[in-house]
């Protein structure tokens, strides 16, 4: 009996090491993809020679999103060691590609008045770096929801995965348009002015919305009508409740101050106020996910 137990434990250990090796390999592939899809970026120069903290924030956000994507595959139903490794590889590579597409979508549709990459690389704009990291992480959450609720068939799963990602990014674009219209300042102008506090606050809306949409995508796929209704309902709920959460946090934590005043109407923008606003959005999203 003892030999059987030892044999089983050894098998589990070897499988775990196999998953770990594939994960590290995908991380290396993720770095290669980043270099290939951003040929003008000298990663070593940005990280070491220029000490570009804006780029470091974005780059860490990219790999954080990869971790979320890989965890989503590992958290799903197991189909056997070899099949699991295949799924991790397929969805990991697909997820990497979609992350880079997401950044271009964000620049074209959410922040179209300037180049995010230029702000990060040339101006070392840390606010832009935080936003790009948030887009990466937010898309990681969107893909997590899509993968956990995917279909059993690989082809159907891939189609559903991409479709959920597209729907999630569409909602992300629409919700950020609503938030920027609701804000009492021009987020584009503030980011271009290197207002890190505004970048942090705006990043909170991106991650919060992604969490709400992720939660709506977690149920197994049944049909498109049911899924779209669920995602739409949760998205509307989030768009309505998140600004309310922000106002509540504002009144509770800073009863005699105004977050907007602290973020944009100071000679030196208040980073703490930006972090508080981001916290308000993200904590509101977590509550929505937990309750609903």
């Amino acid at each position: 009996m003892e030999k059987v137990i030892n044999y089983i434990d050894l098998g589990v250990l070897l499988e775990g090491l196999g998953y770990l090796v594939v994960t590290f390999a995908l991380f290396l592939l993720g770095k290669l993809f980043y270099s290939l899809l951003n040929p003008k970026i000298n990663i070593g120069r940005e990280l070491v020679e220029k000490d570009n903290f804006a780029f470091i924030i974005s780059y860490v956000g990219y790999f954080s999103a990869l971790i979320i994507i890989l965890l989503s595959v590992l958290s799903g139903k197991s189909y056997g060691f070899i099949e699991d490794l295949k799924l991790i590889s397929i969805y990991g590579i697909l997820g990497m590609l979609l992350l880079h597409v997401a950044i271009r979508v964000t620049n074209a549709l959410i922040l179209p008045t300037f180049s995010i990459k230029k702000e990060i690389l040339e101006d070392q704009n840390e606010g832009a770096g935080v936003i790009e990291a948030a887009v990466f992480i937010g898309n990681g959450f969107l893909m997590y929801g899509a993968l956990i609720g995917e279909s059993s068939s690989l082809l159907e799963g891939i189609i559903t995965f991409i479709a959920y990602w597209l729907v999630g990014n569409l909602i992300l674009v629409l919700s950020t348009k609503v938030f920027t219209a609701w804000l009492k300042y021009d987020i584009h102008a503030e980011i271009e002015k290197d207002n890190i506090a505004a970048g942090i606050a705006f990043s909170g809306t991106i991650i919060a919305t992604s969490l709400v949409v992720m939660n709506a995508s977690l149920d197994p796929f049944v049909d498109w009508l049911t899924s779209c209704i669920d995602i739409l309902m949760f998205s509307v709920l989030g768009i309505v409740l998140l600004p309310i959460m922000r106002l509540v946090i504002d009144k509770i934590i800073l009863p005699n101050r105004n977050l907007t005043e602290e973020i944009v109407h100071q000679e030196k923008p208040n980073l703490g106020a930006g972090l508080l606003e981001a916290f308000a959005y993200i904590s509101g999203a977590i509550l929505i996910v937990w309750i609903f």
Side-chain angles (χ1 to χ4, degrees), residues 65-111:
L66 283 184
I67 282 284
I68 296 170
I69 294 167
L70 294 174
L71 283 176
S72 65
V73 184
L74 292 170
S75 299
K77 180 182 176 182
S78 176
Y79 297 96
F81 180 65
I82 301 300
E83 187 67 18
D84 286 349
L85 293 185
K86 183 176 77 172
L87 291 174
I88 292 170
S89 301
I90 291 172
Y91 284 114
I93 293 170
L94 183 57
M96 292 174 203
L97 294 173
L98 292 180
L99 286 176
H100 290 283
V101 175
I103 289 300
R104 286 157 176 78
V105 169
T106 297
N107 211 153
L109 300 178
I110 296 179
L111 296 170

Side-chain angles (χ1 to χ4, degrees), residues 98-291:
L98 292 180
L99 286 176
H100 290 283
V101 175
I103 289 300
R104 286 157 176 78
V105 169
T106 297
N107 211 153
L109 300 178
I110 296 179
L111 296 170
T113 62
F114 57 86
S115 168
I116 297 178
K117 282 283 186 266
K118 177 180 178 296
E119 290 293 322
I120 292 173
L121 299 175
E122 295 182 18
D123 299 342
Q124 298 193 23
N125 185 332
E126 293 172 11
V130 172
I131 290 175
E132 186 161 272
V135 172
F136 282 134
I137 293 171
N139 270 265
F141 286 133
L142 293 178
M143 291 185 228
Y144 182 94
L147 280 169
I148 293 297
E150 59 140 330
S151 305
S152 57
S153 163
L154 178 59
L155 179 59
E156 289 180 2
I158 291 174
I159 293 172
T160 306
F161 174 66
I162 295 174
Y164 272 6
W165 174 82
L166 284 170
V167 171
N169 272 273
L170 176 61
I171 292 172
L172 200 58
V173 170
L174 294 175
S175 64
T176 51
K177 295 295 183 185
V178 172
F179 277 114
T180 51
W182 176 77
L183 291 172
K184 297 178 180 179
Y185 56 87
D186 184 348
I187 187 66
H188 300 82
E190 294 300 324
I191 297 301
E192 281 197 278
K193 289 193 301 185
D194 293 0
N195 187 335
I196 305 171
I200 293 171
F202 190 63
S203 298
T205 69
I206 293 172
I207 292 177
T209 304
S210 301
L211 284 170
V212 172
V213 177
M214 176 202 74
N215 189 54
S217 307
L218 287 175
D219 292 333
F221 179 78
V222 179
D223 59 72
W224 282 112
L225 180 60
T226 302
S227 297
C228 288
I229 290 174
D230 286 346
I231 292 173
L232 183 61
M233 286 177 60
F234 272 95
S235 301
V236 171
L237 183 66
I239 291 172
V240 171
L241 291 182
L242 291 179
I244 295 175
M245 283 295 301
R246 190 263 196 193
L247 291 174
V248 171
I249 294 293
D250 192 354
K251 297 303 179 183
I252 292 175
I253 298 181
L254 291 173
N256 300 317
R257 290 283 189 269
N258 182 279
L259 281 177
T260 300
E261 185 73 24
E262 294 294 315
I263 291 171
V264 298
H265 296 143
Q266 303 275 343
E267 183 177 347
K268 183 179 180 181
N270 189 330
L271 297 183
L275 187 59
L276 277 175
E277 183 162 334
F279 164 75
Y281 293 132
I282 295 172
S283 61
I286 292 172
L287 286 174
I288 292 170
V289 169
W290 184 264
I291 294 171

